[in-house]
Amino acid sequence: MKCQTVIAGIGGQGVLFAAKILTEIARRREVPVLGSQTFGMAQRGGSVTTHLKMGEFESPLICEGDADLLLALDAVEAHRTLPFLRARGKGGAPACVVNAREDAAFPDPRVAGLVADMGIVVHRCNADREALAMKLPLVANLVLLGFASSRPGFPFAYAEVCEATAALSGPHRTTNLEALERGRALSGP
């Protein structure tokens, strides 16, 4: 397995926990993982980005145009990190899984043509709405992961995501697994 993943969001959205889950899946598969985080002003709602390289790689940072997958907990951060995605080619289509409201244009019309030309598959869901329905806004990251794992071409099976989440969740295990299931149940493009 070789997969380069960028996870983007803002401080407090759970970018690092989502990265920890994907790292745990790779560890269980005995796949080497390299990772790097950029925190910025995360404590004040600033950008948080994680790069994860699973497979045989020599450096942890993903260059622009090389990522296979973008998981975005925030639509603005998704637009900011879109340049990391590669164009369609070997290994199938790159994917962007984004937390975006139904009434929000994603991708923005100014870049939608480029995204389509590159062959990037976009999957949108309103993970925030589902998390708020649970009265737990901090589980939107898990809703997004549950949704992502139900999309074609996602490199990790839903069962693997559940197992890794359960192992890392401690006393929040039941709630976190419910958030994954809510995400898996969502339909979307």
Side-chain angles (χ1 to χ4, degrees):
M1 166 190 199
K2 275 190 108 166
C3 181
Q4 297 186 73
T5 302
V6 174
I7 306 172
I10 55 177
Q13 287 186 309
V15 169
L16 301 181
F17 188 61
K20 196 172 181 180
I21 291 167
L22 298 185
T23 300
E24 176 65 11
I25 294 169
R27 186 194 67 76
R28 288 168 179 247
R29 287 185 179 185
E30 298 182 1
V31 173
V33 180
L34 292 173
S36 177
Q37 292 89 26
T38 303
F39 297 101
M41 292 295 289
Q43 297 84 352
R44 296 196 176 136
S47 296
V48 178
T49 306
T50 296
H51 292 205
L52 288 177
K53 288 184 169 181
M54 294 167 230
E56 297 297 328
F57 291 98
E58 294 183 14
S59 67
L61 293 178
I62 299 170
C63 295
E64 286 190 9
D66 284 345
D68 304 297
L69 175 65
L70 169 60
L71 294 173
L73 294 162
D74 179 82
V76 172
E77 292 302 310
H79 280 107
R80 190 182 64 75
T81 53
L82 272 173
F84 283 101
L85 285 171
R86 64 176 171 76
R88 184 180 188 103
K90 290 183 181 177
C96 173
V97 182
V98 62
N99 175 18
R101 295 185 332 263
E102 290 82 2
D103 62 345
F106 189 90
D108 184 285
R110 294 172 288 185
V111 297
L114 178 61
V115 169
D117 290 347
M118 291 178 66
I120 296 169
V121 177
V122 176
H123 302 288
R124 298 168 29 136
C125 77
N126 191 337
D128 287 333
R129 181 189 62 217
E130 290 300 313
L132 287 172
M134 293 176 69
K135 296 182 176 37
L136 295 165
L138 297 179
V139 298
N141 60 338
L142 296 170
V143 173
L144 187 74
L145 273 178
F147 175 76
S149 67
S150 69
R151 303 291 97 190
F154 189 71
F156 312 104
Y158 177 72
E160 291 177 301
V161 175
C162 287
E163 289 168 10
T165 301
L168 298 170
S169 292
H172 305 291
R173 179 180 182 197
T174 302
T175 300
N176 289 350
L177 292 175
E178 179 186 345
L180 288 173
E181 183 57 34
R182 280 183 175 246
R184 182 173 79 143
L186 291 174
S187 62

